Structure formats: structure tokens, C-alpha cells
């Protein structure tokens, strides 16, 4: 059954996979392997959150990350998407989550609050010019895009800047009005330059704004809100009421946003599939109970960092089984046994376990080797080292931190401790070399370095430190030096 046929049975006509490129951006060669899988699983679009991976030019060149995609690579990504019937919606942050822009000294004067690079100052004409220039460059490489997502979520500290404080002292001025005026200005800019492109916005800044204010702002005629909630226990009735509120305000179309990874902890390494399955199935229930025909589609978000400065959460290959479960459940109305069998077939996993991380068979999907190795490291590396350092009777009894600082050891204990530590280090070093090679095939060097430094090096360094202290304690020294 083709995607177009399956779409008729799903309440979500559009099913977009979100790629959050502000962390661990995949090489284009890897995208060429996973786009066919996305399509086969039931996706028909991509939400590309480029952040600093976009090849900004001219005065915006400073925004580029070290390994930013080149213009030919962007064209290649779009070509691969077209081949796999995935419609691309680019995302450009234009209000909150502007850290990748406002962290630069040359642009820091455009911060809402001088100390924090999160939020753009909406009072400065230069702010809108900056956002306009970013949008122009992105749209130039995405001609014909039917939608452009302009972000606008989590606009922290709005109203706390000097200019905002002065503005808010005037009669009738509120934070809601300030927020709506900037969203309107950005949307008007998009529509003036690109009349065939509809702006999308995350909806969290709109939720609490009273109906009459939203209606009077003119914003509902300009943008399509994306209602996001990544929890496993959605307030389904509350969501239906929110959709009804937006409908009454004049919004013609709405989108939903669930998550398939990156929403259960800033440093999460393995994806809890059951959480994400519940989240997506509950969005199906929201779609069934809200106003009919308003929902244009759903974005399955796959966050890679909580913000520009946070650590990496689950890598894309690690999240693919969850994506498969979520997409297929959205297509088929739930995760029945026949759907589970389909997912296992797509992934090459003989028995997919959604309640823990012990699926049988490593899988044969692109990046399945990374999933297997990351799972092994995450479940066993730290615990195996902690067991040796904190529960081994020879280490705790004869080579405690006290002994290690003073380089004291009974020589016979070296023979009990050293072989175990060497064996453990050798086993993990071999596995980590394999993981490093697998990561290099998919990611750029800075991602590989960051992931290993966060998730592997601390435990290996503990082992190496133990062995170093053993060697020093066991080496012959003058008697006087051995006194405690």
C-alpha cells in the first residue's frame, strides 16, 4: 500500500520527521540512506531545523558551524528528499532560541536581556532586518517551499529588557501584545517576500493569550500554529479545547507535534520507545476529538539538544526504532501485533522491545550498528567500572582512595586487582574503537569527540587512573617514602 493510500486512513495528511541539526548533524551520505526508510515507514515530509548548519553568507557567515552544510549539500539533501517523496519545510528561529545568533559579540546588542542570548529584542528595527536576512538566505535555497517554520517558541525573558520595560509602562501594552506584534511582523515579512509560503509557528506563546486579543491581532490570518506536547500523558480534552479556541480566533489550519526522541531528558542516551509511542497514540486521540479537518499534519520531533548550549541527547540512529514505531502507529491507528511485525520487518529486528532496551537482533537499518554499540555502552560501561571500583573487595579493602593518594599497597593485591582492571580496559577499548569508527561514518568529527567525551571517557579515565595508581604504588621506593 502506497503512502498516499495509507494517508487516507490516518487523520494526519502530513507526517513530518523533524531533524534537529543544532547537535550531531548527520552527513549527507547518511541522510541518503535513511530518507528511503523514512518514506517506507510512512513519512511524507521533513522539518529541517538547520540552526548553525545552514551555509549563511555575507554578514551572516559568522553563524555557520565548523561543519555547516555547503549550498551544494543543501541542494543534494533537497534532491534526496524529493526522490523519497518527502516535502521539506525549513525552520528558522526568529524570536526565542536565538542562542546560535545572539551568542556572537557582533550581534549581542540585539538581545532582549543583555546577559542572555536566548531572545531577540523585538523593539530594534535591526532585529527584524537580521531575521529577514536569515529568512531570505534560507528561502533562496528552498524555492517553492509551501511552508516556512519561523519558530517563536519559549521566548524566555520577553518583556524584561530595558526597551520592553519602558514599552510595557504605556497604557494597554502587555507582553502578549509585544509577542503578537513581533510574530506578525515576521509573518508579514515572509508573506510579502514569498506570497506562496505559509509561516508556521510553535504555539506555546499563544496558548495563554485570551481569545479576543488573538482574534484582534491579525495573527490568525497569517500563520498556522503547531501545537506541541511531548508527554506520555496528554490532556486530550484540554488539547481539543485549545484547538477549538484557535479555530474561533480565526486560525484556518493547525498542526500537531509529538516527539520520537529527545524529549525525556537533556542527557538521555537511549530512547524510551514506550513513552514516545504513548505520546503519538494520544495525539491520534486528540485528532479524533478536536475540530474536524483543521489538522494539516503532525511533526514527529527528534530533538538533539534541548538548546544550543546543552549536551547531546539521543543520536538519530538510536532513535530510529522509536521513529518507526511512532510513524507506523500514526498510520495504522495504534501499535497492534501486526503493526509491531511490520516495524520489526522494516528494521530487521527479530523482537522489538518497547518497554526497555533489550530488543533481540541488532537490526539491519542504517546506523543499527551505532544503536547496538551505544546501547551496550550506556547499559554496561559505567556499571562495570563502578562495580570494580566500589564493590570489588580487593579494591575497596586494600586500595581505597586513602591508599591511592599515599601510593600504598600490599604487593600481593596488585596481582588481584591489576589483571581485572587491564582486562576490563582492553574489552571496553576494543568496543569503543568500533563505536568510534561507526560514528565517524555518520557524523562529523566534533560530534564523535563530544559524544565519546560525555559518555565514554569519564569511565575509561577512572580505569586508567586506577591502573596508573597501581603502577606507582607497586614500584619499589625507599623505605622512608612508604611511611603513611
Amino acid at each position: 500500500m502506497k503512502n498516499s493510500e495509507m494517508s487516507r486512513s490516518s487523520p494526519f495528511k502530513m507526517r513530518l520527521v523533524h531533524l534537529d541539526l543544532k547537535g550531531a548533524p548527520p552527513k549527507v551520505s547518511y541522510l541518503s540512506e535513511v530518507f528511503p526508510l523514512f518514506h517506507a515507514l510512512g513519512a511524507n515530509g521533513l522539518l529541517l531545523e538547520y540552526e548553525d548548519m545552514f551555509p549563511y553568507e555575507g554578514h551572516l557567515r559568522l553563524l555557520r558551524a565548523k561543519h555547516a552544510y555547503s549550498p551544494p549539500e543543501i541542494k543534494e539533501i533537497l534532491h534526496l528528499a524529493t526522490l523519497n517523496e518527502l516535502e521539506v519545510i525549513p525552520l528558522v528561529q526568529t524570536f526565542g532560541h536565538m542562542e546560535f545568533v545572539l551568542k556572537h559579540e557582533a550581534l549581542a546588542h540585539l538581545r532582549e536581556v543583555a546577559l542572555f542570548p536566548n531572545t531577540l529584542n523585538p523593539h530594534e528595527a535591526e532585529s527584524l532586518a537580521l531575521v529577514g536576512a536569515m529568512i531570505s538566505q534560507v528561502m533562496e535555497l528552498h524555492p517553492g517551499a509551501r511552508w516556512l517554520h519561523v519558530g517563536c517558541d519559549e521566548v524566555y525573558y520577553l518583556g524584561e529588557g530595558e526597551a520592553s520595560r519602558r514599552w510595557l509602562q504605556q497604557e494597554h501594552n502587555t507582553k502578549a501584545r509585544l509577542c503578537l506584534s513581533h510574530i506578525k511582523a515576521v509573518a508579514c515579512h515572509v508573506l510579502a517576500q514569498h506570497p506562496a509560503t505559509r509561516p508556521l509557528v510553535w504555539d506555546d506563546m499563544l496558548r495563554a493569550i485570551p481569545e479576543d486579543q488573538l482574534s484582534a491581532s491579525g495573527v490568525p490570518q497569517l500563520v498556522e500554529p503547531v501545537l506541541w506536547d511531548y508527554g506520555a500523558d496528554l490532556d486530550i480534552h484540554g488539547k481539543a479545547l485549545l484547538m477549538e479556541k484557535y479555530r474561533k480566533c480565526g486560525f484556518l489550519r493547525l498542526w500537531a507535534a509529538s516527539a520520537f526522541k529527545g524529549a525525556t531528558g537533556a542527557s538521555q542516551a537511549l530512547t524510551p520507545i514506550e513513552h514516545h509511542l504513548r505520546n503519538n497514540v494520544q495525539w491520534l486521540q486528540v485528532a479524533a476529538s478536536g475540530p474536524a479537518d483543521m489538522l494539516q499534519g503532525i511533526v514527529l520531533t527528534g530533538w538533539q539538544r534541548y538548546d544550543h548550549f546543552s549536551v547531546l541527547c539521543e543520536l538519530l540512529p538510536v532513535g530510529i526504532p522509536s521513529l518507526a514505531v511512532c510513524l507506523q502507529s500514526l498510520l495504522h491507528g495504534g501499535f497492534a501485533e501486526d503493526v509491531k511485525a511490520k516495524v520489526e520487518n522494516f528494521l530487521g529486528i527479530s523482537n522489538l522491545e518497547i518497554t526497555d532496551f533489550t530488543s533481540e537482533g541488532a537490526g539491519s537499518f542504517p546506523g543499527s550498528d551505532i544503536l547496538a554499540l551505544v546501547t551496550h555502552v550506556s547499559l554496561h560501561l559505567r556499571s562495570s567500572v563502578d562495580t570494580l571500583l566500589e564493590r570489588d573487595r580487593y579494591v575497596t579493602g586494600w586500595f581505597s582512595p586513602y591508599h591511592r593518594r599515599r601510593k600504598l599497597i600490599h604487593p600481593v593485591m596488585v596481582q588481584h586487582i591489576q589483571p581485572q582492571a587491564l582486562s576490563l580496559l582492553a574489552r571496553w577499548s576494543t568496543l569503543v574503537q568500533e563505536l568510534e569508527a561507526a560514528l565517524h561514518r555518520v557524523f562529523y568529527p566534533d560530534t564523535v569527540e563530544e559524544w565519546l567525551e560525555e559518555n565514554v571517557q569519564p569511565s575509561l579515565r577512572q580505569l586508567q587512573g586506577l591502573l596508573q595508581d597501581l603502577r606507582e604504588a607497586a614500584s619499589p621506593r625507599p623505605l622512608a617514602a612508604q611511611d603513611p
Side-chain angles (χ1 to χ4, degrees):
M1 192 159 53
K2 279 184 69 72
N3 271 358
S4 54
E5 292 168 42
M6 291 192 286
S7 296
R8 283 201 284 275
S9 61
S10 173
F12 298 110
K13 295 188 287 290
M14 299 284 295
R15 295 168 301 279
L16 309 178
V17 177
H18 166 242
L19 294 178
D20 176 20
L21 302 172
K22 67 176 167 280
K27 293 178 178 177
V28 178
S29 55
Y30 183 67
L31 296 179
S32 74
E33 295 174 32
V34 289
F35 283 4
L37 178 60
F38 291 177
H39 171 74
L41 289 169
N44 54 12
L46 298 168
L47 179 65
L48 294 185
E49 182 160 357
Y50 288 110
E51 226 218 36
D52 56 5
M53 284 301 288
F54 187 80
Y56 288 106
E57 295 285 2
H59 70 295
L60 297 178
R61 197 180 178 92
L62 80 169
L63 305 184
R64 286 188 186 195
K66 182 180 177 184
H67 297 287
Y69 298 131
S70 65
E73 284 179 316
I74 300 279
K75 288 185 173 122
E76 177 64 11
I77 292 169
L78 299 183
H79 173 64
L80 291 166
T82 304
L83 286 181
N84 291 287
E85 297 174 38
L86 299 167
E87 179 163 1
V88 171
I89 300 178
L91 186 154
V92 183
Q93 284 288 7
T94 57
F95 205 178
H97 283 294
M98 291 285 281
E99 293 95 340
F100 79 104
V101 178
L102 300 176
K103 71 178 183 181
H104 296 285
E105 207 177 325
L107 297 166
H109 63 287
L110 296 177
R111 296 173 178 182
E112 166 70 342
V113 174
L115 198 56
F116 305 136
N118 312 54
T119 296
L120 192 66
N121 178 344
H123 304 278
E124 293 281 348
E126 197 187 333
S127 292
L128 196 58
L130 169 70
V131 162
M134 290 166 65
I135 288 169
S136 294
Q137 291 197 21
V138 169
M139 288 302 290
E140 200 176 320
L141 286 184
H142 296 77
R146 288 200 290 167
W147 292 278
L148 169 70
H149 199 314
V150 294
C152 297
D153 58 319
E154 298 178 333
V155 187
Y156 299 137
Y157 317 113
L158 181 63
E160 294 181 25
E162 285 302 312
S164 288
R165 285 175 197 269
R166 288 195 298 274
W167 187 85
L168 287 168
Q169 282 167 358
Q170 297 167 29
E171 203 181 352
H172 305 308
N173 283 353
T174 61
K175 281 189 195 180
R177 197 169 168 190
L178 181 57
C179 180
L180 288 168
S181 69
H182 183 74
I183 292 174
K184 186 175 183 177
V186 172
C188 285
H189 173 85
V190 173
L191 292 164
Q193 303 294 320
H194 311 279
T197 304
R198 294 291 296 177
L200 305 183
V201 295
W202 298 118
D203 84 307
D204 52 291
M205 298 302 291
L206 306 176
R207 287 173 202 161
I209 299 178
E211 219 173 278
D212 57 340
Q213 283 185 46
L214 262 181
S215 299
S217 69
V219 167
Q221 286 70 46
L222 302 172
V223 305
E224 297 177 10
V226 185
L227 289 71
W228 61 271
D229 194 325
Y230 313 138
D233 297 297
L234 295 195
D235 175 0
I236 292 161
H237 180 60
K239 288 278 180 289
L241 290 177
L242 183 60
M243 288 169 65
E244 183 56 34
K245 169 187 161 176
Y246 287 152
R247 188 190 66 76
K248 282 188 193 158
C249 292
F251 289 105
L252 297 175
R253 285 204 195 90
L254 304 174
W255 297 68
S258 60
F260 73 89
K261 77 175 188 76
T264 56
S267 61
Q268 188 80 24
L270 299 175
T271 307
I273 298 178
E274 189 177 30
H275 173 102
H276 297 290
L277 171 60
R278 284 178 58 186
N279 172 246
N280 280 272
V281 166
Q282 285 170 8
W283 271 113
L284 281 172
Q285 295 171 291
V286 172
S289 58
D293 298 326
M294 274 201 82
L295 276 173
Q296 181 70 29
I298 187 165
V299 179
L300 293 91
T301 62
W303 300 101
Q304 194 54 77
R305 295 188 197 278
Y306 275 30
D307 68 38
H308 184 78
F309 291 104
S310 68
V311 297
L312 294 169
C313 37
E314 310 104 293
L315 298 170
L316 179 58
V318 173
I320 280 181
S322 175
L323 176 64
V325 165
C326 296
L327 271 171
Q328 285 283 292
S329 298
L330 289 172
L331 267 187
H332 299 292
F335 193 60
E337 276 303 312
D338 60 326
V339 180
K340 181 175 186 276
K342 284 188 174 80
V343 169
E344 287 168 344
N345 190 42
F346 279 124
L347 299 176
I349 291 176
S350 52
N351 185 26
L352 180 68
E353 186 53 69
I354 66 160
T355 53
D356 60 25
F357 307 112
T358 57
S359 292
E360 286 171 30
S364 56
F365 62 89
S368 54
D369 52 345
I370 290 174
L371 170 62
L373 292 163
V374 163
T375 300
H376 195 65
V377 165
S378 299
L379 296 182
H380 305 298
L381 173 57
R382 185 185 293 176
S383 59
S384 69
V385 173
D386 287 352
T387 298
L388 177 65
L389 295 180
E390 293 165 22
R391 289 198 282 285
D392 179 88
R393 71 191 189 96
Y394 297 115
V395 175
T396 56
W398 280 270
F399 205 43
S400 69
Y402 176 90
H403 289 86
R404 287 178 64 176
R405 272 195 300 276
R406 289 162 178 76
K407 306 292 182 267
L408 283 174
I409 193 164
H410 191 306
V412 75
M413 289 303 154
V414 178
Q415 292 164 30
H416 283 296
I417 298 168
Q418 198 174 40
Q420 279 194 80
L422 284 170
S423 163
L424 194 58
L425 182 61
R427 285 210 314 276
W428 281 116
S429 297
T430 302
L431 188 134
V432 168
Q433 279 178 336
E434 196 183 334
L435 172 57
E436 190 171 354
L439 290 171
H440 274 294
R441 285 195 291 276
V442 172
F443 300 109
Y444 296 98
D446 52 355
T447 297
V448 179
E449 180 184 26
E450 181 181 355
W451 198 90
L452 293 176
E453 199 166 311
E454 289 282 355
N455 297 282
V456 170
Q457 298 308 336
S459 294
L460 293 191
R461 271 199 291 270
Q462 282 183 291
L463 267 183
Q464 289 157 344
L466 176 73
L467 285 161
Q468 176 67 22
D469 287 351
L470 267 178
R471 281 192 293 273
E472 290 179 17
S475 62
R477 283 163 300 146
L479 279 176
Q482 294 182 13
D483 293 339

